[in-house]
Amino acid sequence: MSELTLRAVPITRERFAPYGDVIYASSDSRNAMNDARFEHFSRLADIDVDTESGGVPSISIARCKAPMTLPYRFDLVERHPLGSQAFVPLSRFSFFVVVAPPGESVEREDLRAFVTNGKQGVNYHKGVWHMPMIAFEEGQEFLIVDRGGNGENCEEHTFGDPVVLLAE
Amino acid sequence: MSELTLRAVPITRERFAPYGDVIYASSDSRNAMNDARFEHFSRLADIDVDTESGGVPSISIARCKAPMTLPYRFDLVERHPLGSQAFVPLSRFSFFVVVAPPGESVEREDLRAFVTNGKQGVNYHKGVWHMPMIAFEEGQEFLIVDRGGNGENCEEHTFGDPVVLLAE
């Protein structure tokens, strides 16, 4: 068994651009709204959902039931060919994402790991391979914005050998 | 000047159904996800955005800059004819919404006021009249899921006399 070790780097818009969007209130996307009672950070992520196949963009919540710890060992990644998928924490907490570019196949060597700063969410672009979400505390909640409805929208790939995710 | 007084009632899915969705993790919409590591509360709100007019469903953030207090006086409501609009707090806080059914015109007497319990978001259905969002503490953030892009997607109506929003 040959383990591949991944170290997470802090997520930034630039680093994550090949895989998706980083969702947070940043000064470079600021506007006023409602007579300047709010600052508005516009279009941090677009929702890209295939509706011809019967899908509809929708909002869900996921609540962590079985917390994980690092180092975290996994051998499975998934992708959603019919739509983007956003995860935004509903309280301040950091989380880790592991991604690889979209495509029919994926190799362990294509994987990159990122860690958020507690105020950021992510939006995986359509078809981007990613590790299924993990969280570190029971009860942590993510708001999810993705494709609802019927259709084959989850492909999985299992690697022959495991990957080990470490902190920075 | 004839003031109309509105008292907010706690929001529930049933009470709010004529106007939109209430977004929170409730036991009646629970599924397992990722090998049961998460509880999944599915399709709490659908995003209903007119894309033929050049719109795209997207994710934004609004951050409160000028906090308000109750009683709160206002005379303007707005509606978005081209799309639904969801507001989900990015930390635990209560907020107030004032709504009236969709339609070409709106009267003060059609308005209803609701207050959330701190863990809930709302999704206004397309065309529902609503008071522009207010918040009570500087820095409070809402995640917004609505229609991005060009097009005439905001209609305003100003009442001749003001409305006064009170707590319960």
Side-chain angles (χ1 to χ4, degrees), chain B residues 7-13 15-16 20-24 70 86-99 112-124 131 133-136 140-142 165-168:
Chain B
R7 282 178 193 279
V9 299
I11 201 166
T12 65
R13 292 218 165 106
R15 287 174 178 161
F16 198 64
D21 311 291
V22 187
I23 299 170
Y24 64 105
L70 294 186
F87 287 87
V88 181
L90 286 179
S91 55
R92 304 289 198 205
F93 64 87
S94 264
F95 63 100
F96 287 73
V97 296
V98 178
V99 288
R112 296 291 176 272
F114 299 95
V115 57
T116 66
N117 68 8
K119 301 183 202 170
Q120 297 164 319
V122 299
N123 183 45
Y124 300 125
M131 173 184 76
M133 190 56 76
I134 57 170
F136 299 120
Q140 285 179 336
E141 290 184 356
F142 290 98
L165 173 64
L166 304 175
E168 293 169 63

Side-chain angles (χ1 to χ4, degrees), chain A residues 2-168:
Chain A
S2 150
E3 281 191 349
L4 182 142
T5 297
L6 275 180
R7 283 178 194 278
V9 299
I11 200 167
T12 64
R13 292 217 166 106
E14 294 67 29
R15 285 174 180 163
F16 198 63
Y19 314 104
D21 311 292
V22 186
I23 298 170
Y24 65 104
S26 65
S27 55
D28 58 354
S29 54
R30 189 184 301 160
N31 294 299
M33 172 182 126
N34 294 357
D35 294 329
R37 287 201 302 261
F38 284 84
E39 295 176 291
H40 196 260
F41 306 88
S42 305
R43 283 185 74 172
L44 302 172
D46 284 350
I47 300 156
D48 174 20
V49 156
D50 179 2
T51 52
E52 287 177 17
S53 56
V56 56
S58 69
I59 297 177
S60 302
I61 290 177
R63 180 193 287 158
C64 177
K65 211 172 128 182
M68 297 291 142
T69 51
L70 295 185
Y72 176 69
R73 233 165 226 87
F74 68 98
D75 64 359
L76 181 143
V77 289
E78 63 183 26
R79 67 170 190 151
H80 308 298
L82 301 180
S84 59
Q85 188 177 45
F87 287 87
V88 181
L90 286 178
S91 54
R92 304 289 198 205
F93 63 86
S94 264
F95 63 99
F96 286 73
V97 295
V98 177
V99 288
E104 287 305 302
S105 64
V106 57
E107 305 288 336
R108 289 192 308 172
E109 289 67 25
D110 301 325
L111 296 172
R112 297 291 177 271
F114 299 96
V115 57
T116 66
N117 67 8
K119 301 184 202 171
Q120 297 164 320
V122 299
N123 183 46
Y124 300 126
H125 287 167
K126 192 186 275 186
V128 163
W129 290 102
H130 55 275
M131 172 184 77
M133 189 58 75
I134 58 171
F136 299 121
E137 278 184 37
E138 191 172 342
Q140 285 180 333
E141 289 184 356
F142 289 99
L143 195 80
I144 302 176
V145 185
D146 68 354
R147 181 184 179 281
N150 297 324
E152 294 296 321
N153 191 28
C154 191
E155 292 176 12
E156 294 181 344
H157 178 83
T158 304
F159 300 117
D161 292 309
V163 179
V164 183
L165 173 64
L166 303 176
E168 294 167 64

